[in-house]
Amino acid sequence: MKKELFRDIYRRHEDNIKDFPYYIREFLERMENEMSINTIYNYGIDYNIFLNWLRSEGLYTGEVKDMPASILEELKPIDIDNFRRHVKNRRENDDVSIARKISALRKLFEYLSVGPGGKGDQPYITFNVMERVKVKMTKVDASARMEVLSTKILKTYEDFFAFKEYIASGFGEEFKENKKIMHNYHKNRERDVAIICLLLASGLRLSELVGLDVEEINVDKCECLVFGKGNTETMVQFSIFAQDALREYIAIRNERYNLPKKHKPLFVSSQKPNGRMTQRAVQLLVEKYAKAFGIKDMTVHKLRHSFATEYYLRTGDIIGLKTQLRHESIETTNLYTQLDKSQRRKNLDDGIRQYLRAEVSVEGINEK
């Protein structure tokens, strides 16, 4: 991970946990050698929600940083069920988000109940309520999941080009009377088109996209060097779909954003001088253009799904797709083999239809 990205996330993480009880901070510090900073940061956010919920429920009434571990030791399974209901109903978390929070709490409570903290290396707590709490995940059939997902993404290059052209010109036409919107649009149009095109041409993860430096992308060869999960360094190819947009953006980048020579970040912020775009900023621009285009609930991850869906429907190459997406397991990639039945039917029948047409044509010639 880039140093400035790491520092930015770590700074936000430190700010988030500064008022945590010392034993939770201790756990997160020990996990720094085992988890990525993104994972640790997300754990901290989940713990912050949990700690504030404890206070709102009257299970603890003092300052969060002064909360003794014995408060956690006294929790019952019904308390965790109530927390689960809170994040589902009040915070409107989906099953995946809830499961992540419960999993994060299980990790914390396991650490506190096993050690090594406490006086004389004794565990911080002697009763671990999370041992009695299971991570509940609604099981969804893969084909059903893909059927739902396929209604929320772009599936063909025709869709890709339509979205690209809308960002490049249609959006400006639609909002030309709004001076504030047009000011930002004119400044960032080339950058925004390049971002959307690169996502749809490669299947990059959000963290990988914002981490790119100028020197790490070769537009002529259509490849870029990314730092992915586990801080692994990988050369990722992208399709020529993004080539022109990237060239146009890079050509105007330095002058448009008044950048110093050899400025490293590829995608720069228009709000923070010389700053690298944040993950949140990229997500917001995707949502903005997709909503205006008529697509609800679009995310960067759904653009990754869009790339994968188009790639698989066109090629049927599940192994190549696994490599491109850098999935650890083929089981993850196999989701795309569950694409809608109409497309599978088309794939099944196209070849035989061509053969039958040829056969009929030959028979007609023979009859004459």
Side-chain angles (χ1 to χ4, degrees):
M1 181 179 288
K2 303 294 185 299
K3 288 182 179 179
E4 69 268 26
L5 269 180
F6 180 91
R7 285 196 297 266
D8 180 59
I9 297 172
Y10 197 80
R11 177 187 56 76
R12 284 185 281 142
H13 168 64
E14 290 272 278
D15 186 60
N16 180 57
I17 70 169
K18 66 179 186 299
D19 293 325
F20 278 16
Y22 70 93
Y23 47 86
I24 298 182
R25 283 188 281 110
E26 177 187 291
F27 165 71
L28 291 169
E29 288 168 2
R30 286 180 177 270
M31 290 300 102
E32 288 180 15
N33 292 326
E34 300 180 20
M35 301 175 180
S36 71
I37 185 59
N38 279 311
T39 300
I40 293 171
Y41 176 55
N42 286 324
Y43 270 36
I45 291 174
D46 291 338
Y47 297 155
N48 198 9
I49 293 169
F50 180 68
L51 291 169
N52 282 307
W53 174 81
L54 289 174
R55 294 183 72 200
S56 69
E57 290 294 299
L59 295 171
Y60 174 67
T61 56
E63 295 294 325
V64 168
K65 64 181 179 180
D66 298 325
M67 187 178 77
S70 59
I71 295 295
L72 303 181
E73 190 175 53
E74 294 167 3
L75 294 176
K76 302 176 180 64
I78 192 173
D79 295 321
I80 306 304
D81 286 342
N82 288 336
F83 173 68
R84 203 196 299 260
R85 280 194 290 273
H86 167 75
V87 293
K88 179 179 181 179
N89 300 326
R90 295 293 182 87
R91 300 186 66 87
E92 299 182 350
N93 282 190
D94 59 20
D95 288 343
V96 173
S97 297
I98 295 169
R100 189 195 71 197
K101 287 176 172 59
I102 297 301
S103 180
L105 289 173
R106 284 171 63 89
K107 285 268 190 184
L108 171 63
F109 277 68
E110 180 184 14
Y111 173 82
L112 298 177
S113 64
V114 173
K119 293 182 179 180
D121 274 348
Q122 294 299 309
Y124 285 110
I125 61 177
T126 57
F127 172 68
N128 178 4
V129 66
M130 298 307 298
E131 286 184 342
R132 303 186 182 187
V133 177
K134 293 182 179 180
V135 177
K136 297 178 181 179
M137 284 290 289
T138 302
K139 291 185 178 180
V140 180
D141 177 77
S143 61
R145 182 185 171 200
M146 195 64 214
E147 187 172 343
V148 171
L149 182 61
S150 66
T151 65
K152 300 179 179 181
I153 59 176
L154 307 168
K155 289 188 283 188
T156 67
Y157 263 122
E158 184 178 1
D159 296 336
F160 290 12
F161 275 104
F163 192 35
K164 172 188 176 182
E165 288 306 311
Y166 178 76
I167 299 169
S169 59
F171 183 88
E173 284 297 315
E174 187 170 345
F175 294 95
K176 60 184 178 183
E177 302 300 326
N178 190 314
K179 292 183 179 180
K180 182 177 180 181
I181 289 178
M182 292 309 294
H183 172 76
N184 291 327
Y185 174 69
H186 285 311
K187 181 169 185 177
N188 299 313
R189 184 185 71 88
E190 291 85 357
R191 182 201 67 185
D192 296 352
V193 172
I195 287 173
I196 297 297
C197 286
L198 183 55
L199 289 168
L200 287 171
S202 64
L204 288 179
R205 297 181 177 95
L206 177 55
S207 60
E208 295 167 345
L209 178 98
V210 299
L212 281 172
D213 285 346
V214 175
E215 62 188 18
E216 292 167 347
I217 191 161
N218 188 320
V219 179
D220 293 330
K221 291 184 178 181
C222 289
E223 60 184 25
C224 54
L225 185 67
V226 303
F227 292 81
K229 282 188 172 181
N231 297 330
T232 54
E233 190 176 75
T234 309
M235 187 65 74
V236 175
Q237 296 178 321
F238 55 88
S239 76
I240 58 174
F241 175 72
Q243 212 170 28
D244 289 344
L246 284 166
R247 282 181 178 142
E248 186 175 357
Y249 166 63
I250 291 172
I252 60 92
R253 170 179 163 275
N254 283 3
E255 183 177 351
R256 177 72 57 81
Y257 295 95
N258 194 28
L259 300 176
K261 290 183 178 180
K262 297 183 179 180
H263 188 62
K264 288 186 176 182
L266 174 62
F267 296 115
V268 295
S269 170
S270 61
Q271 304 298 321
K272 184 179 177 181
N274 302 337
R276 185 186 296 272
M277 281 194 79
T278 64
Q279 294 186 28
R280 180 62 178 160
V282 173
Q283 183 57 56
L284 286 174
L285 81 83
V286 169
E287 292 174 2
K288 175 183 72 175
Y289 288 121
K291 183 178 180 181
F293 187 60
I295 306 174
K296 293 182 179 180
D297 304 320
M298 179 56 75
T299 65
V300 173
H301 197 66
K302 285 177 184 173
L303 291 182
R304 178 172 162 88
H305 280 309
S306 297
F307 164 82
T309 297
E310 189 285 328
Y311 182 101
Y312 181 74
L313 287 177
R314 179 167 44 82
T315 68
D317 179 10
I318 200 69
I319 301 300
L321 181 57
K322 175 183 179 295
T323 300
Q324 180 69 24
L325 296 178
R326 283 147 290 119
H327 285 158
E328 293 180 2
S329 169
I330 191 67
E331 294 303 316
T332 306
T333 322
N334 275 339
L335 170 68
Y336 300 100
T337 65
Q338 305 294 328
L339 290 161
D340 60 278
K341 293 179 181 179
S342 61
Q343 183 63 46
R344 278 186 282 160
R345 172 53 58 194
K346 183 176 184 298
N347 291 343
L348 283 169
D349 291 346
D350 272 0
I352 192 66
R353 284 200 180 103
Q354 291 175 15
Y355 174 79
L356 290 172
R357 283 196 296 270
E359 189 176 62
V360 170
S361 178
V362 171
E363 286 176 358
I365 292 171
N366 289 338
E367 287 175 3
K368 290 180 180 179

